[in-house]
Every structure is written in structure tokens, then in C-alpha cells.
Amino acid sequence: MTGRHPRRALAATAAGILLAGLALFTGAVPAAAASVTDCTQWGTTETQGGTYTYQQNEWNSSARQCASVDTATGAWKLTEANFSLTTAGPPATYPSSYKGCHWGVCTAKSGLPIRVSELGSARSTFDTTQVASGAWNASYDLWFNSTPTTDDQPDGTEVMIWINHRGGVQPIGSRTATVTADGRTWDVWTGPGASGWKVISYVLQGGATAVTDLNVKRLVDDATARGQINPAHYLIDAEAGFEIWQGGQGLGVNSFSFDASKGSGGGDTTPPTAPRNLRSTGASSSSASLAWDPATDDVGVTSYDVYRGGTRVGSTGGTTYTDTGLTASTAYSYTVRALDAAGNASPPTGPVSVTTEPGGGTGTGNLKVQYKTSDTGLTDNAIGMNLKVVNTGSSAQSLKDVEIRYWFDDSASSYTTWCDWAQIGCSNLTHSVSTNGTATGANRYLKVNVTGGTLAAGASTGDIQLRLHRSDWSNLNEADDYSHGTASAYADAPKIGVYSGGQLLWGTAP
């Protein structure tokens, strides 16, 4: 997984501006044409009567890129693209469609710009054709500026919304939160990185080829609440396409729509009631789970914001939430507010205190785990491992409630786990994937529980052969996984934890 760097370097020289201007003419098409092919680096094509513009936007490469563009529907597809940049740097290109004012060139009837504080609605549909090769993301790019338009680099925030990605790429900055918005779960990444301006990215867990009627305003509101967007700035431009590092041929957009409008001014001003009966429903050494009874509103509650000690830590459309990345044996205080579609916020609930379980740190028990890899590929569709639990003590140890944790880093929403074979019997094991906050290289862990039995002094469980994969079988990247190792023969594994009763017995937790 590597950092993403922003584009716009093309505007740094007069030659770049001249080239972009020439491409604007070479990319122009006769009004009668329904479909055109553009192989220029900076070519643009108006679509849907000028409401949208397709742009080649090959800003970090000079390799040949060709797109077939339907000027009537706005659909487009890359018919030629074979990029080969390292994923450690910026992408080669961002072919995309946009609506609004992009570097001073505005589409017709866009409804943009709109000041953030006056934004009443922003909804979008983005339907793509994706390929199972290369390194790329399918993403929105929203730009904010202190003035209604600019023919230079915007001076406000860049908001990226990734609906899918492959090839080990990741957003700029670092993952700082997870949020549920518009019925979907997103990982939140914040910069700045090399760009020099604020960047916040929302990465859809599990990925998708399309989003329909996405409530973009909900994500803009979230970014504003996190202090990433200045509410006095303007939303000037919405783009949707693919950032591409490697490959690219066959990627395309079947449809893209973006509709934004100002608020009604004298509309709904009545806040919801406060949620009721906020309560703890469980805790681990690194997480706290909450539930509450729903609030009421004269129009309708749309979401709930969760606060830890007065700081907003997440949002959800339901009435449950799990806060992760916490410290073991620590008390935390929570409150919850309800929000309606107009952005009115309820009073907070009364606070509830949750204390996390013991755990974390370095274990000092009489059990340890040994590991060897059963899968040498770093970017295939499964994580495989062989494990042994060893009793280092002088007396027999009970295995009941012993838990093994193999930490890894990924963003999918669901996984399938397998026990291929175990000397103690796969029927004596349970296994699943749990979340682990935002720990670097360890935001997930494979949890393996032993259901019973004892282990004699100096003995081991013998081979336990395990696998996990994303539910959609898409590729993972194990390169920065906390617990991943390369040992081909069994060796002690201090980055794999052994727990009993929530207490860390072996290993160093991330």
C-alpha cells in the first residue's frame, strides 16, 4: 500500500498551459458526432449538451492513452492504456468527467459553485466498468476554494471519495477514523501529504463498481465537522473517474451524475429530540460498543454522531456504534447526538462510561505461538499461515478460552476464514476477523479461539493451518501487515498474540 500524490503539476509552466490549450482544440468534436475517440494528453470533450466535460487529464505521464467518449450520454471507456508507474509515487493519469468550474472552465447549468454553509443537497450516481488487473482507484474528486472560481490551484480542501481500488494503492496521509454515512462504511484518511493543501479521503469498505444516489453532502458535512473544510469556502467542482498507476485499459464510466443545490433558507429548523437510553453493550481491550434508543424528529432523523470525551469520533445511520483503537484498562465517557436532513443537531444524551478490558503491551505467560508462512505471495487473494501454540511452563496449561490474534491491515467490510487442517482438530477451533481501530499495519486481526483441552508442559498443539480472504476474493496486500512473516520453518512469532481471558500472555500487541 503506497501513498497517493495530487495532480495539477501541469499548470506550473507556461508550456504546460499552452499544451493544455492546444489539446482543448484537438479534443473538440463536431456537434453531430455521438461518439469520439481522444488520444491526446490533455484533451477535453463536452458531453450531455455541455452539462459535463470529459477530460483525459494525463498529468504525470506521456504514454499513449485513448478514450472512446459518448457525447450524448457522457459514458466513456479507455480503449488504450498501459501505464507502468510504481505505486510509491503519484498516479500517471486521472481520466474523468467533471461538473462545475475546473481551473476556471465551467460547465453549463452545473448549479456550482455553492458556499459550503449554504449547501442544501449534493447527490450523485457513479457507475463504472472495472478490470481485475493493474493498480488504480475509482474515485470522486471534489474541490473547495475560498472564492467562487479560480483558474489556478484551488486554495481549499480536496475531498476524494474512493468507491473501489486495487493493486495496493491508498490515499494520501493516514487512516484516522471510520464513519458510517449514507448506509455505507468508510475509512477516513487525512493529509496533507506532498500536496501542501488539506486532503481528506473516504474509502468505501469492501468496494463497489457503482454507487446510486450517494448523499455526497453527508460526507462533506462529516469533513466539515472534522475541521477539514472551511464552511465559508465554495464547492466549485465535482469529478469522477480513475486514478491509474498501472494498466488501465478497459476501465470506464457508464454513467455519472452530480446534482447540488442550496438550502431552502426558511426550511426545517427544528432539531431532533435527544437519543434515549445510551448504554454499553460490550468492550474489549481496544474497543467499546454502544447502543441507544432512537431519537424523534418532525421530518426524520438521518444519522447519529458519537462523541468520546467531547470529541466527535464517528457517525452512523443506525442506533449502535463500536469505537475502536482504544487503550486497555481505561475508562471512556460517551455521548450521542441525533441529526436531521437539514443538519439540525439534538441535545446530547447523558454520558455513559465504558472501561476497556485488560490487554495490550507485551505478554509474560507460559504459552507462546510459533509461525511459518504457507503463502509467499504478498498481493494475492488470501492470507495463509501455519501456527503452533507451545506450553513453555512446567505444568499443564488449559487451552479453554485461549485466543490467538494475527494482526493485518486491510479495508474490506467482510471476510471468510478457513481452518484447512489442525492436529488438535479444526472442530476444536473457532475463527473470525475483528476490527482493531487504526493501528498501523494492524486495523484487523484474525481471531482464533481454542474451545477446550489441555497442553502438557513443553508440548505444542502441532500444526494449525489457517487461511482468510475477502468475501469477494479480491486481492489483499500483506506487505505492511503487522504479523506477517517470511519464515519457512516454525519460529517464535512475537508479533502474533496469545490471550486468555482478555489478558495478553505472549507477544507484543500493536
Side-chain angles (χ1 to χ4, degrees), residues 15 51 78 101 179 189 223 305 307 313 383 431 453 477:
T51 304
L78 293 184
C101 295
V179 63
W189 293 66
D305 285 345
Y307 294 81
V313 293
I383 297 175
H431 36 86
N477 188 337

Side-chain angles (χ1 to χ4, degrees), residues 33 37 52 74 92 172 176 185 226 272 434 465-467 496 504:
T37 296
Y52 296 85
I172 201 167
T176 54
T185 302
R226 295 177 189 277
S434 297
Q465 299 176 11
L466 302 164
R467 280 183 301 130
I496 300 176
L504 182 62

Side-chain angles (χ1 to χ4, degrees), residues 2-5 60 83-92 135 167 169 244-246:
T2 60
R4 185 195 70 84
H5 297 276
N60 191 38
F83 297 102
S84 57
L85 270 62
T86 173
T87 55
V169 300
I244 305 169
W245 285 257
Q246 298 167 13

Side-chain angles (χ1 to χ4, degrees), residues 324-391:
T324 57
L326 307 180
T327 302
S329 302
T330 303
Y332 295 92
S333 179
Y334 292 93
T335 57
V336 176
R337 292 178 183 267
L339 298 174
D340 62 18
N344 300 309
S346 76
T349 61
V352 64
S353 180
V354 183
T355 300
T356 52
E357 294 181 354
T362 300
T364 57
N366 292 328
L367 295 177
K368 69 177 182 179
V369 66
Q370 295 183 326
Y371 161 93
K372 69 177 181 180
T373 183
S374 61
D375 177 13
T376 57
L378 291 178
T379 57
D380 54 18
N381 60 12
I383 297 175
M385 70 206 72
N386 289 34
L387 304 176
K388 286 182 181 179
V389 178
V390 181
N391 180 2

Side-chain angles (χ1 to χ4, degrees), residues 41-64:
Q41 188 173 5
W42 307 111
T44 60
T45 303
E46 289 188 354
T47 68
Q48 301 182 66
T51 304
Y52 296 85
T53 295
Y54 167 78
Q55 55 181 353
Q56 284 276 81
N57 201 15
E58 188 184 345
W59 67 276
N60 191 38
S61 172
S62 57
R64 185 174 170 87

Side-chain angles (χ1 to χ4, degrees), residues 304-315:
Y304 297 88
D305 285 345
V306 180
Y307 294 81
R308 182 203 316 140
T311 300
R312 182 175 176 274
V313 293
S315 178

